[in-house]
Amino acid sequence: MTARILVVEDEERIRQFLKRGLTYEKYAVETAVDGKEGLEKARDNPPDLVLLDVMLPGIDGLEVCRRLRAASDVPILMLTAKEAIEDRVAGLDAGADDYLVKPFSFDELLARVRALLRRAQPAQPQVYRFADLELDTGTRQGRRAGKTFDLTAKEYELLELFMRNPRQVLTRDVIFDRVWGYDFGGESNIIEVYVRYLRQKTEFDDLPRLIHTVRGVGYVLREEE
Ligand code: CA
């Protein structure tokens, strides 16, 4: 059952970033560019979750949140550029279930989205398996050939992305979006560095390579040919 997510965000770049990432995760995504359109879409085709920007032209996000909440129990995740505690409190007072401060990485957002969608239906931790490699979403550890290894936060996010999309070539842009977020301004070889870390952890005892480079494009998790 595909969860339906309504994204209400006036900033084109962030709206497209969210739509692209969530669609890739197999959510059905509707977008609205302001509060008025958001309220109309929520009324005409009720979503399972709303991602709602606070700073919107016209009816602002807090007011949209109040009106949505008056009409339904749909989970609402507010996106705010403001760090100020009073804005977070205002959002929660208006009926939001959670909020995320910009800039955020896509995986942070995805974790919140999953948590909100899960509340009604708690799921067990999952173990991804590919060939002889396993990734436990509960312990956030990897395991290969009977040997368990720890992962840093970013290593885990990157490996989870590969494990969720086996045999699919992941472009550098997708990996950047998903693991580092749209505002990442660091050195351009960060993906190479983290792939190297993951290879070090998964290729012990001369085990065959699983994370392969696709020259000029990105990377793919697959068995050696
Ligand atoms: Ca905005």
Side-chain angles (χ1 to χ4, degrees):
M1 172 90 183
T2 306
R4 301 182 47 263
I5 298 178
L6 174 61
V7 175
V8 188
E9 165 68 82
D10 59 313
E11 199 176 326
E12 164 88 21
R13 185 176 63 119
I14 299 178
R15 195 169 61 243
Q16 293 308 324
F17 167 77
L18 293 171
K19 179 165 187 177
R20 191 165 66 234
L22 291 167
T23 303
Y24 194 83
E25 282 299 312
K26 316 265 191 292
Y27 292 109
V29 184
E30 275 270 14
T31 59
V33 300
D34 59 27
K36 182 168 173 286
E37 188 185 15
L39 287 167
E40 284 166 4
K41 288 199 169 174
R43 182 196 60 211
D44 294 345
N45 201 0
D48 297 306
L49 184 139
V50 180
L51 291 182
L52 179 59
D53 187 31
V54 171
M55 302 288 282
L56 291 169
I59 311 167
D60 77 10
L62 292 176
E63 181 57 25
V64 173
C65 185
R66 276 183 215 103
R67 294 192 199 176
L68 285 171
R69 184 52 73 237
S72 85
D73 290 329
V74 64
I76 301 170
L77 175 57
M78 300 215 67
L79 307 177
T80 172
K82 299 177 177 178
E83 291 273 9
I85 190 78
E86 57 266 31
D87 291 309
R88 302 180 186 193
V89 171
L92 297 174
D93 277 354
D97 296 277
D98 200 358
Y99 60 86
L100 205 49
V101 177
K102 295 175 182 177
F104 51 82
S105 80
F106 186 80
D107 275 30
E108 277 179 270
L109 174 105
L110 200 56
R112 305 292 186 93
V113 164
R114 287 194 178 128
L116 287 175
L117 288 171
R118 228 176 7 234
R119 271 188 199 170
Q121 218 176 24
Q124 295 302 309
Q126 197 182 347
V127 178
Y128 290 104
R129 290 192 176 80
F130 181 79
D132 58 353
L133 180 62
E134 295 179 4
L135 182 67
D136 188 319
T137 63
T139 63
R140 295 171 75 87
Q141 287 174 316
R143 188 173 178 82
R144 190 171 185 196
K147 188 174 158 190
T148 300
F149 52 90
D150 291 325
L151 296 159
T152 64
K154 285 296 175 204
E155 289 169 0
Y156 175 85
E157 287 180 27
L158 182 58
L159 186 55
E160 194 192 1
L161 180 62
F162 282 121
M163 295 295 271
R164 277 205 310 265
N165 301 281
R167 299 192 186 90
Q168 286 183 47
V169 175
L170 301 174
T171 65
R172 293 172 48 83
D173 285 348
V174 164
I175 295 172
F176 262 123
D177 269 10
R178 302 294 315 285
V179 179
W180 280 275
Y182 60 90
D183 265 334
F184 183 77
E187 69 269 49
S188 60
N189 68 340
I190 191 85
I191 298 177
E192 286 70 21
V193 169
Y194 274 83
V195 164
R196 190 160 71 239
Y197 293 157
L198 287 180
R199 284 174 174 164
Q200 282 164 3
K201 291 192 173 179
T202 57
E203 294 176 14
F204 55 88
D205 296 344
D206 292 328
L207 285 167
R209 174 153 294 179
L210 289 173
I211 301 170
H212 298 268
T213 304
V214 181
R215 207 163 294 283
V217 182
Y219 295 91
V220 60
L221 180 72
R222 63 165 168 74
E223 286 137 309
E224 218 151 21
E225 275 153 13

